[in-house]
């Protein structure tokens, strides 16, 4: 089997697939309230195209597929996508990052289709703060979705939190308390300059160090020695075994060990969240000979060569050698 090794000698094993750019929330750090230039529906990858590209990726050593968005739960064929991904040979681990809205309806079907884990975004335990941060009145629905995921056996259930100064940063210890009580693993993510609304300011970002300082007002944190490829720096809480993670993508980038590639909902391959360039995989994939079933479709050679070329040149990740 081939492996995807880029020019920084990083081996890529983790594929993040955005299933849609649409979302049921409008988190202030992620999307503007209005005026998002949504992708045209007819440019989005079909289920068959998604599975073809995923089959190319697993043949190249990708062993973990993370479904994301926008909000992946808005994709109507989500259960079919998960079932198709887990049926690939070799079969990747399939997980999802989600805001959990709607998980009450299909958590069990997703588990039956082979979904193993979810990361759920939860930034606050306060109804009003949720409305302010997500610009939608869906706090209870989010909690219900998290519970549904846990009840369906999606474990370990991880929570992702972005702290905004003066908005929810005082809640860090309460969020950790909540996660510990329920047996979830909480990870704080430094706010990155990714929002389409360009509201990010380095000075107002809550840094990884500040996150730890806030947690240490209530808990004792001890670094977990082995980090591996994971972006989160992990800490035992009060001696363990419970842990909390801090992803300091801005103040302590993990580019040197990053093993991820990203596919947008319209089939563009991006080597990095901050990539300036994309490689179009949808066109070669769509041109691959039509088959009745993606299962009988051998990896389309042109998509495969695009993927390999994009990965091996990897011109857009300027920080990889750190
Ligand atoms: N809608 C899903 C969700 O919120 O989990 C999946 C997509 S969302 C883009 C994936 C993750 O990116 C979430 O955990 C979210 O908190 C995080 N995220 C979004 N914008 C961010 C930003 N500007 N800085 C840091 N993390 C961000
Ligand atoms: Fe939607 Fe997730 Fe972005 Fe929030 S962080 S607006 S839930 S995509």
């Amino acid at each position: 089997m081939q492996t995807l090794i880029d020019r920084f000698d990083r081996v890529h094993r983790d594929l993040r697939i955005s299933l849609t750019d649409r979302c049921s929330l409008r988190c202030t750090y992620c999307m503007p309230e209005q005026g998002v230039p949504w992708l045209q529906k007819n440019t989005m990858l079909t289920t068959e195209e998604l599975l073809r590209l995923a089959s190319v990726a697993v043949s190249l050593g990708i062993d973990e597929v993370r479904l994301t968005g926008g909000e992946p739960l808005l994709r109507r064929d989500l259960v079919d996508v998960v079932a198709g991904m887990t049926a690939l040979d070799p079969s990747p681990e399939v997980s999802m990052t989600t805001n959990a809205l709607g998980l009450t309806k299909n958590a069990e079907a997703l588990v039956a289709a082979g979904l193993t884990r979810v990361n759920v975004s939860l930034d606050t335990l306060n109804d009003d703060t949720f409305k302010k941060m997500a610009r939608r009145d869906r706090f209870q629905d989010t909690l219900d979705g998290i519970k549904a995921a846990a009840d369906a056996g999606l474990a370990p259930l991880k929570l992702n939190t972005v702290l905004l100064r003066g908005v929810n940063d005082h809640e860090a210890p309460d969020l950790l308390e909540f996660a510990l009580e329920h047996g979830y693993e909480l990870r704080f993510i430094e706010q990155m300059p990714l929002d389409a609304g360009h509201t990010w300011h380095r000075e107002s970002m809550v840094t990884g160090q500040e996150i730890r300082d806030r947690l240490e007002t209530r808990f004792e944190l001890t670094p977990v020695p082995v980090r591996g490829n994971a972006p989160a720096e992990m800490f035992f809480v009060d001696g363990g075994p419970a842990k909390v993670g801090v992803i300091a993508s801005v103040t302590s980038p993990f580019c040197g060990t990053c093993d991820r590639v990203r596919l947008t909902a319209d089939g563009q391959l991006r080597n990095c969240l901050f990539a300036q360039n994309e490689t179009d995989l949808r066109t070669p994939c769509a041109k691959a000979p039509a088959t009745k079933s993606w299962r009988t479709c051998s990896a389309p050679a042109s998509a495969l060569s695009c993927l390999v070329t994009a990965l091996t040149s990897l011109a857009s990740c300027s920080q990889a050698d750190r």
Side-chain angles (χ1 to χ4, degrees):
M1 187 197 287
Q2 260 184 289
T3 36
L4 287 168
I5 304 175
D6 67 28
R7 68 188 172 89
F8 299 102
D9 283 336
R10 300 178 302 180
V11 179
H12 291 270
R13 300 204 179 282
D14 181 332
L15 176 66
R16 312 251 146 164
I17 302 181
S18 170
L19 293 183
T20 174
D21 58 340
R22 306 318 198 252
C23 191
S24 39
L25 299 178
R26 292 287 181 280
C27 303
T28 54
Y29 54 79
C30 179
M31 287 190 190
E33 187 158 19
Q34 287 171 347
V36 184
W38 304 118
L39 294 172
Q40 298 280 325
K41 287 243 162 72
N42 63 359
T43 66
M44 310 259 273
L45 292 172
T46 62
T47 314
E48 174 160 316
E49 287 167 347
L50 271 171
L51 294 174
R52 276 187 185 177
L53 288 176
S55 74
V56 173
V58 298
S59 74
L60 292 169
I62 293 289
D63 56 18
E64 186 175 347
V65 172
R66 168 73 56 91
L67 304 175
T68 180
E71 177 44 52
L73 285 167
L74 292 185
R75 179 120 183 174
R76 291 211 179 113
D77 58 0
L78 178 61
V79 173
D80 294 338
V81 169
V82 172
M85 298 272 169
T86 54
L88 293 172
D89 184 19
S91 176
E93 189 192 28
V94 181
S95 60
M96 178 169 73
T97 304
T98 174
N99 62 25
L101 294 179
L103 255 185
T104 43
K105 279 187 231 129
N106 60 6
E108 283 180 9
L110 288 167
V111 170
L115 189 75
T116 50
R117 288 190 294 112
V118 283
N119 286 16
V120 181
S121 297
L122 181 72
D123 297 323
T124 177
L125 297 171
N126 180 288
D127 201 8
D128 288 332
T129 308
F130 188 98
K131 277 182 224 157
K132 191 170 168 184
M133 288 186 75
R135 301 192 184 102
R136 296 287 185 272
D137 187 3
R138 307 292 303 270
F139 177 56
Q140 190 56 49
D141 295 333
T142 302
L143 293 185
D144 292 347
I146 293 171
K147 183 170 182 312
D151 290 349
L154 288 165
L157 194 148
K158 293 187 184 172
L159 298 177
N160 289 346
T161 299
V162 176
L163 294 180
L164 302 183
R165 194 179 299 283
V167 180
N168 66 336
D169 53 337
H170 60 286
E171 286 193 64
D174 292 343
L175 283 155
L176 180 52
E177 193 101 52
F178 172 84
L180 296 174
E181 270 171 27
H182 291 84
Y184 307 148
E185 187 178 301
L186 179 62
R187 295 151 1 129
F188 292 93
I189 311 174
E190 276 183 352
Q191 186 193 4
M192 293 179 273
L194 293 172
D195 57 311
H198 304 295
T199 56
W200 184 88
H201 296 288
R202 194 176 181 108
E203 317 77 60
S204 58
M205 179 191 73
V206 182
T207 65
Q209 183 58 53
E210 288 177 297
I211 295 166
R212 287 163 54 180
D213 292 345
R214 279 166 177 65
L215 294 176
E216 282 178 328
T217 60
R218 198 178 304 170
F219 303 96
E220 188 186 290
L221 303 186
T222 332
V224 175
V226 183
R227 182 162 178 177
N229 283 348
E233 196 179 351
M234 298 301 300
F235 299 89
F236 288 119
V237 181
D238 291 339
K243 289 183 266 186
V244 64
V246 177
I247 304 180
S249 325
V250 178
T251 59
S252 180
F254 52 91
C255 308
T257 55
C258 179
D259 66 349
R260 302 161 175 198
V261 269
R262 296 168 183 275
L263 188 64
T264 64
D266 61 346
Q268 307 301 307
L269 186 79
R270 314 193 79 200
N271 295 323
C272 173
L273 268 177
F274 296 101
Q276 307 282 330
N277 305 315
E278 298 177 331
T279 302
D280 177 32
L281 295 185
R282 180 172 157 259
T283 309
C285 182
K287 280 188 192 148
T291 53
K292 285 207 176 99
S293 157
W294 57 270
R295 284 170 210 269
T296 58
C297 168
S298 60
S302 47
L304 190 140
S305 73
C306 279
L307 188 56
V308 174
T309 308
L311 259 296
T312 46
S313 62
L314 202 76
S316 55
C317 187
S318 56
Q319 303 191 76
D321 49 353
R322 285 191 187 184

